[in-house]
Amino acid sequence: MKKFCALIACVLVASAAACSRPAKTPAAFTGDPVAVMSIFAFDSESQPTYGLMYLGHSFLSFENVSDGAITVGALTLFPGEFCTVGSWGMNVHFGIWYNIEANYIVRGGMYDGRTSVSKPVGADDLAAVNAFFAATDQWSPLYNCANMAVDAYNTAGGDTLPLSGIVTPTRVIDELRRWTHVETNRPIGTYGIAGYLTEDGFEEYEYRD
């Protein structure tokens, strides 16, 4: 009985410590931002699975906040435009896809309940992220959508997410909720064409409801 009570006490102390973890505040940005970069995650409970095993999804969005055009991976964004970037294991391409999530959100009303944090990025940080996309066009169960999104987010300067190993959307959500600027259902203002990059250029994907 004493051992059982001691175990319960340990669990309660651990739970209290987890609940009392200090909230993280975003670092101040200095310089001229060209984009706002956001990392999103949602779990399997926020999306129908149609009987399939589904562990959620994590992805990125970019909003052009500059006065001119910017490049995000394979896409060009004009001022005020958005795009999303996520990795998928689809039969035609195992790797980075553009605007799949933007189309699903804006046109299909999907991913309701998505959790996110955002940070401004300058031109040099965006160039580093683009280089990361070019070198990391892959998807596998051991390097999934959450791994890619976290690594890309951490490639840019400023706040980083201390996640390693096999990262899951649930782990990303838990980390995002520690930040004071966490958001739910952050809007994606525009959706653009969806597709992926090949050696021959951009392969467009037809969105279907």
Side-chain angles (χ1 to χ4, degrees):
M1 183 65 181
K2 289 182 179 179
K3 290 184 178 179
F4 177 75
C5 292
L7 177 61
I8 294 297
C10 290
V11 171
L12 291 175
V13 169
S15 299
C19 292
S20 63
R21 286 184 302 181
K24 298 181 178 182
T25 57
F29 180 81
T30 58
D32 297 317
V34 298
V36 172
M37 181 181 189
S38 305
I39 181 169
F40 293 82
F42 70 94
D43 57 27
S44 58
E45 295 181 357
S46 63
Q47 196 66 32
T49 61
Y50 308 106
L52 301 175
M53 181 180 177
Y54 188 62
L55 301 177
H57 186 47
S58 187
F59 60 95
L60 304 159
S61 79
F62 296 83
E63 177 188 3
N64 184 349
V65 295
S66 74
D67 294 329
I70 63 172
T71 298
V72 177
L75 301 179
T76 297
L77 296 185
F78 293 98
E81 290 186 335
F82 293 72
C83 75
T84 58
V85 183
S87 67
W88 292 82
M90 297 190 188
N91 58 349
V92 294
H93 182 65
F94 280 63
I96 290 176
W97 287 72
Y98 297 89
N99 281 330
I100 293 290
E101 301 87 358
N103 277 270
Y104 284 165
I105 291 169
V106 178
R107 303 171 70 180
M110 295 171 62
Y111 302 162
D112 184 43
R114 59 193 179 274
T115 303
S116 67
V117 296
S118 305
K119 63 182 177 182
V121 295
D124 290 343
D125 286 330
L126 183 58
V129 172
N130 284 336
F132 170 85
F133 288 151
T136 321
D137 189 6
Q138 60 179 294
W139 181 95
S140 75
L142 299 181
Y143 193 81
N144 57 53
C145 61
N147 284 100
M148 190 284 291
V150 168
D151 286 349
Y153 193 80
N154 290 346
T155 296
D159 306 319
T160 58
L161 307 179
L163 297 171
S164 60
I166 300 177
V167 183
T168 64
T170 298
R171 288 184 63 196
V172 178
I173 291 171
D174 290 342
E175 173 61 26
L176 298 184
R177 287 175 176 166
R178 297 184 64 190
W179 292 85
T180 58
H181 62 310
V182 64
E183 297 179 81
T184 301
N185 286 338
R186 177 179 174 85
I188 303 294
T190 59
Y191 54 85
I193 60 171
Y196 56 93
L197 190 62
T198 72
E199 294 180 354
D200 298 323
F202 191 80
E203 185 72 23
E204 188 171 347
Y205 172 81
E206 181 181 356
Y207 168 80
R208 296 177 182 177
D209 291 327

